[in-house]
Amino acid sequence: MGVMPEAGFVVRDGGRWWSAPVPGSSPAPWDLEGLLAAVGGAQDRPIAAARGVSSSPLGDLEVLLPVWAWVGRIVPGGVELEGAGGGRLLLTGEDLVVLDVLDPGGTAEEVVGRAQRAGVADAGSRLASLTHEGLVRRLPEGTDVPVPSAPAVAAAAADPGPFHDGSSGPSFAAPAPRPGAASDPGATDGRVPVHAVWQERVGPVLALGMLTAAARAWDGGALAGRYLIGRPETAEACLASLADGTGPAVLLCSNYVWSLEDNLDLARRAKALRPELVVIHGGPSTPSYDGDARAFLSAHGDVAHVLVRGEGEVTLCRLLEALTTSLPALDGDRLRSIPGLIFRDPVDGAVVRTAEPERVADLDALPSPYLTGEFDHIDPSAWLFAVSIETNRGCPYGCSFCDWGSATLSRLRKFGVDRVLAELRWVADRGIAGVQLCDANFGILARDVDIAAGLADISRGRGAPRIVAFTPPKNTTRHITKIFDAVLDAGLLVSTAISLQTIDEATLDAVDRSNISTDLYLALAADLRRRGLPLTGDLLIGLPGQTYDSYRADLQFFLDHQISPRSWSLRALPNAPLNDPGYRARFGIETGADRIITATSTMSHEDRRRMLTLRKMQVIADQYGVLIHVLRFLQWDHGVAATAVLDHLLDVVAGSPDRFPLLSWVFAYFDLHATVPVGWGAFYDEVGRLLEEDFGLDPGASDVATVLAVQRALMPAPQRNFPDTVTLAHDYVAYHRDATAGLFATGHASGPDRPLRSHPQAELTVTGDPLHLCSGGLRFAGDSRDEAMLGQFWLGVGSSHELLSPLTRVAPATRDLELAAAGDRAAAGTPVRVRATIG
């Protein structure tokens, strides 16, 4: 595989070698032969003798494992790293062979034997020295060798409608729930099977259960004479059932940004098995605008026969009634009489758009899929993230980028409190850890406090759920404090978001948004902070009216107030006002893959690329703490805004990556390998040189040296022991507490009363590593480089990079660790932090 370039780095992670040069951004797999060629000329001498270290011999039955990851710099003679004591370490070719055969671990005797068979004569002494230097973990005799993890490279009408008993229309009278499978295979009685499919990588979908429950109960069960209405099922169960029968069938696809492509793929597979299949699409990602709907029918007409707009429960039932006499064909005349449809007329091929549908006025008339058995057959483990529960529908706001259930700018309609609490008890009885109250504005109604109190009582009494997620109202916090008190006092972990998105007035005007006042927003932040919740705020990249400078100002607002910003790439949601052709033309909106906005009249493609780069640098430097205290010190004592520092680094890394290669490496690769090259000492030495050359600060000055020492002390590294105390020239903890006192009082940023250099000498003690970062490292669930579906690296949920100290933003609690598996199964053991999200 050739020799690496001059600024070459090698990564050992997940049992593989990776080349990760600077400049560069995509590591490539590397074999041992190529690596040894790159370090040609290395002296194969005993590692301990070469370094003058004394290594205690290893017991033959001691269990040895590789540390989770390390990054070395290729230099003449070998690979350069820092040893356990911070000194320079040079790995020779034979050292690399020993480390190569170490994976996946084993007893010392086994590893030595492998290395000797690979030609390393002094394998025992080398292995002992590598262990002493922190590149090998030792476990007690008899410990089982863990299975190695995968490498890092690799979510209203006035008419009450037909759901009322005694009304002029069909009545709602739910038949008794049926236990057992999602649907009966074969349908030998001549009824047409109706299938509703959820994707296993997402989990069961509330909307599908609402649809099948409504259809089963419509007009006292009248549809059951013609249709075999299946309960929500997996794709494979649906396909197996279709393959086991013949004749017409109906497939219901509830489309979201994360499921649309999967649903289309499933529909094609299903159509191949059952050519007479009729496919009905609904949900937020089923297009409603005329042009988009026509394009969707043209592109997917073979598996998109009818599109449903708006709420689907009543529309689906009327649609199934209309299809009873024509399946597998569509009867255009009958379909024209049903509001809320788009379809292609079977006679002349014209696209037909029927009248706008009315909203269901009395939501309690709709049967609850949780209480009528629609999901009873599904194992609780299928809910990977949370069970979704609605307490109301509608949203009084009309932000142009939003399409909350196609119910923006509409009055609120409520489900009964008793029904909501019964559904929460259904969740608790199954031991499901997470619940999401999926209203647009939970907390906008006084009764929401009662729901929160009821949830708290259920959690206390039944031990579940233990995590609650909700989105509070956009511009009021009247009931939020009581809601937080209720759920937090019950021990629930909370993930919540009061959306801010931007503070730029021009952008707010362009997107028809009215934000919560800054004072209220910051007061809420202070309230959450005093409750010990880590704070995260949401921003959007690609808003009409947004510029690079306004995005940078938004980032700075969050950093000033120590609210960790999550920056999402904005999508033109199919049915949001932003996707209206006239609106798109007005703001010059361009979109790319996954409907992500790539340019506007105020944001060029290059501007957006720079925003994304700045976003990544902020995540690494601030969210994961790599430069967090350097940034704060520069801002507080030298008046250089944190985003100005990051903006400067962006230019340096892009234009002269070889000036500060370790910094360049971190900003290129940390999202894949969450560590630094060579070691933290070498890294912060380079940061000191940056401060000297580009900001005129003396890295040897007592205040600068204090900040760099604090940064190094707080970073996780293999083989660290705790408590670990460092002596500082100045009391950084007192300085930091002084600077952040206002954030706990009013939420407003203030800064320190006096500079760091005026504080006396003090000690900083890092007391522990409750998230096991030193031994296990930081792994990110999801694809760290997918702009469409942001993974754990971007969102920060479940990915703290902090050791325990007086400077820890929120101390990890034992309960957080207990909830790790429930909160994020995909993290494969990475502990989960549930954040209060106020952006």
Side-chain angles (χ1 to χ4, degrees):
M1 292 192 180
V3 178
M4 293 185 69
E6 183 178 350
F9 294 90
V10 59
V11 180
R12 184 64 175 173
D13 187 5
R16 300 182 66 180
W17 302 102
W18 303 87
S19 68
V22 170
S25 62
S26 298
W30 219 19
D31 59 21
L32 180 63
E33 181 180 355
L35 174 60
L36 294 177
V39 299
Q43 301 178 38
D44 290 331
R45 51 183 173 171
I47 186 171
R51 293 174 204 146
V53 296
S54 174
S55 302
S56 58
L58 299 170
D60 285 347
L61 298 182
E62 281 190 84
V63 176
L64 304 180
L65 296 172
V67 295
W68 73 276
W70 55 265
V71 184
R73 174 164 51 190
I74 295 179
V75 297
V79 174
E80 179 187 18
L81 287 171
E82 281 180 7
R88 182 175 183 269
L89 190 66
L90 185 67
L91 301 182
T92 68
E94 292 198 352
D95 298 329
L96 299 174
V97 173
V98 173
L99 291 171
D100 186 74
V101 302
L102 175 63
D103 280 299
T107 65
E109 183 178 42
E110 290 170 340
V111 176
V112 168
R114 294 180 211 151
Q116 288 175 338
R117 289 190 292 275
V120 181
D122 54 348
S125 63
R126 288 183 183 274
L127 185 60
S129 292
L130 291 166
T131 304
H132 175 82
E133 294 289 4
L135 292 173
V136 179
R137 293 172 55 201
R138 7 179 9 165
L139 301 177
E141 292 185 8
T143 303
D144 292 333
V145 178
V147 177
S149 62
V153 179
D159 178 3
F163 287 106
H164 283 267
D165 289 327
S167 71
S168 58
S171 64
F172 170 66
R178 287 186 310 161
S183 59
D184 300 332
T188 57
D189 59 4
R191 290 182 292 167
V192 175
V194 178
H195 295 272
V197 175
W198 52 275
Q199 305 296 333
E200 290 181 90
R201 65 182 184 85
V202 176
V205 179
L206 170 60
L208 290 173
M210 293 293 294
L211 293 172
T212 58
R216 197 181 318 284
W218 180 261
D219 196 13
L223 290 175
R226 171 64 169 146
Y227 296 100
L228 182 66
I229 302 166
R231 287 176 165 80
E233 60 191 339
T234 64
E236 294 309 313
C238 169
L239 294 173
S241 180
L242 289 172
D244 197 35
T246 59
V250 176
L251 174 64
L252 308 180
C253 294
S254 184
N255 296 328
Y256 298 80
V257 291
W258 51 82
S259 63
L260 173 60
E261 294 302 324
D262 285 338
N263 285 342
L264 288 170
D265 176 70
L266 165 70
R268 290 190 172 91
R269 295 168 64 194
K271 185 74 170 176
L273 292 171
R274 242 8 208 272
E276 294 178 292
L277 181 73
V278 173
V279 185
I280 302 170
H281 290 267
S285 287
T286 299
S288 176
Y289 287 113
D290 282 342
D292 290 344
R294 290 173 182 273
F296 190 86
L297 290 173
S298 294
H300 310 295
D302 58 327
V303 290
H305 303 111
V306 182
L307 311 185
V308 174
R309 312 192 313 274
E311 292 175 319
E313 292 92 352
V314 173
T315 305
L316 173 66
C317 294
R318 290 174 174 166
L319 174 56
L320 290 176
E321 281 183 327
L323 292 174
T324 55
T325 59
S326 64
L327 282 173
L330 303 183
D331 184 332
D333 291 337
R334 298 194 68 182
L335 295 188
R336 277 182 170 84
S337 67
I338 302 172
L341 302 183
I342 302 175
F343 61 95
R344 194 176 294 281
D345 189 283
V347 177
D348 60 12
V351 174
V352 178
R353 180 188 186 92
T354 67
E356 290 303 306
E358 295 179 342
R359 299 188 185 279
V360 178
D362 180 3
L363 293 180
D364 279 337
L366 299 174
S368 164
Y370 300 114
L371 306 181
T372 58
E374 294 303 309
F375 296 120
D376 284 358
H377 62 286
I378 300 175
D379 190 279
S381 64
W383 279 272
L384 302 176
F385 307 106
V387 174
S388 295
I389 290 178
E390 292 179 292
T391 81
N392 66 59
R393 287 182 184 177
C395 178
Y397 310 109
C399 307
S400 68
F401 53 81
C402 183
D403 176 36
W404 200 291
S406 297
T408 54
L409 285 177
S410 68
R411 71 175 180 86
L412 296 181
R413 295 154 295 136
K414 297 167 287 187
F415 291 94
V417 172
D418 289 344
R419 168 182 170 142
V420 172
L421 295 180
E423 291 181 335
L424 289 170
R425 285 190 287 272
W426 184 93
V427 175
D429 289 344
R430 282 150 185 79
I432 300 173
V435 62
Q436 179 177 7
L437 305 177
C438 53
D439 314 336
N441 299 277
F442 183 75
I444 198 171
L445 302 171
R447 72 168 204 153
D448 293 343
V449 177
D450 298 329
I451 292 174
L455 169 61
D457 289 343
I458 291 168
S459 182
R460 284 193 195 95
R462 309 190 186 204
R466 292 179 290 171
I467 303 169
V468 59
F470 60 90
T471 300
K474 310 297 182 289
N475 57 12
T476 177
T477 60
R478 183 169 32 167
H479 306 302
I480 295 302
T481 298
K482 291 180 181 179
I483 288 173
F484 273 111
D485 286 341
V487 295
L488 291 174
D489 288 349
L492 281 123
L493 295 181
V494 179
S495 177
T496 185
I498 292 182
S499 300
L500 191 68
Q501 315 303 4
T502 180
I503 60 172
D504 181 67
E505 291 298 329
T507 307
L508 289 171
D509 183 64
V511 298
D512 300 318
R513 184 174 180 81
S514 175
N515 264 354
I516 185 173
S517 76
T518 300
D519 285 343
L520 279 175
Y521 183 86
L522 295 178
L524 176 60
D527 203 23
L528 299 176
R529 191 178 282 113
R530 289 192 297 269
R531 284 168 164 76
L533 292 173
L535 304 177
T536 303
D538 284 345
L539 294 174
L540 290 172
I541 293 176
L543 287 168
Q546 185 180 52
T547 65
Y548 177 79
D549 288 340
S550 70
Y551 171 67
R552 187 178 131 181
D554 287 337
L555 278 181
Q556 187 63 51
F557 173 85
F558 282 111
L559 298 184
D560 286 345
H561 298 93
Q562 295 195 18
I563 301 168
S564 183
R566 298 188 308 190
S567 297
W568 301 78
S569 292
L570 179 60
R571 297 170 187 254
L573 297 176
N575 303 318
L578 180 146
N579 198 43
D580 180 87
Y583 189 99
R584 290 180 65 125
R586 175 185 168 196
F587 289 102
I589 295 172
E590 300 178 28
T591 55
D594 296 304
R595 309 185 68 92
I596 288 177
I597 293 178
T598 57
T600 69
S601 57
T602 57
M603 180 192 72
S604 67
H605 293 278
E606 180 54 37
D607 289 337
R608 181 174 180 277
R609 281 191 289 269
R610 189 174 181 90
M611 289 180 191
L612 295 177
T613 304
L614 183 66
R615 171 182 74 167
K616 181 178 180 181
M617 297 181 79
Q618 172 270 315
V619 167
I620 295 168
D622 171 65
Q623 181 171 297
Y624 295 112
V626 172
L627 292 175
I628 186 170
H629 295 289
V630 171
L631 294 177
R632 291 177 182 176
F633 170 69
L634 284 172
Q635 180 163 317
W636 290 339
D637 277 15
H638 296 276
V640 184
T643 55
V645 178
L646 294 175
D647 197 56
H648 172 76
L649 276 171
L650 190 159
D651 289 330
V652 170
V653 168
S656 305
D658 54 339
R659 274 192 68 203
F660 304 105
L662 305 189
L663 276 161
S664 297
W665 192 96
V666 165
F667 289 124
Y669 298 107
F670 190 90
D671 55 333
L672 302 179
H673 308 282
T675 186
V676 294
V678 182
W680 290 109
F683 178 79
Y684 288 117
D685 285 346
E686 189 173 274
V687 173
R689 185 162 61 84
L690 167 79
L691 296 177
E692 180 177 32
E693 294 180 12
D694 293 18
F695 295 92
L697 301 182
D698 178 6
S702 58
D703 54 351
V704 179
T706 293
V707 174
L708 295 175
V710 167
Q711 282 282 182
R712 182 173 179 180
L714 297 178
M715 292 297 102
Q719 312 290 52
R720 287 192 64 178
N721 296 310
F722 303 100
D724 186 5
T725 299
V726 295
T727 300
L728 304 173
H730 304 288
D731 190 343
Y732 187 85
V733 173
Y735 164 79
H736 191 272
R737 285 176 177 166
D738 178 39
T740 58
L743 298 176
F744 289 85
T746 66
H748 286 271
S750 53
D753 291 338
R754 54 195 175 112
L756 178 59
R757 63 177 177 273
S758 68
H759 286 263
Q761 179 177 306
E763 292 182 337
L764 170 66
T765 299
V766 180
T767 55
D769 179 17
L771 301 180
H772 307 292
L773 296 165
C774 294
S775 58
L778 181 58
R779 300 288 187 183
F780 301 120
D783 185 347
S784 297
R785 299 194 168 183
D786 184 349
E787 288 183 24
M789 299 297 292
L790 298 184
Q792 192 180 32
F793 168 77
W794 297 111
L795 302 185
V797 178
S799 39
S800 174
H801 194 236
E802 295 186 86
L803 302 176
L804 201 57
S805 81
L807 296 168
T808 303
R809 283 170 276 195
V810 174
T814 302
R815 185 186 56 190
D816 297 338
L817 303 178
E818 178 189 345
L819 291 174
D824 194 342
R825 302 174 191 277
T830 301
V832 169
R833 303 303 314 282
V834 178
R835 297 178 179 266
T837 309
I838 67 166

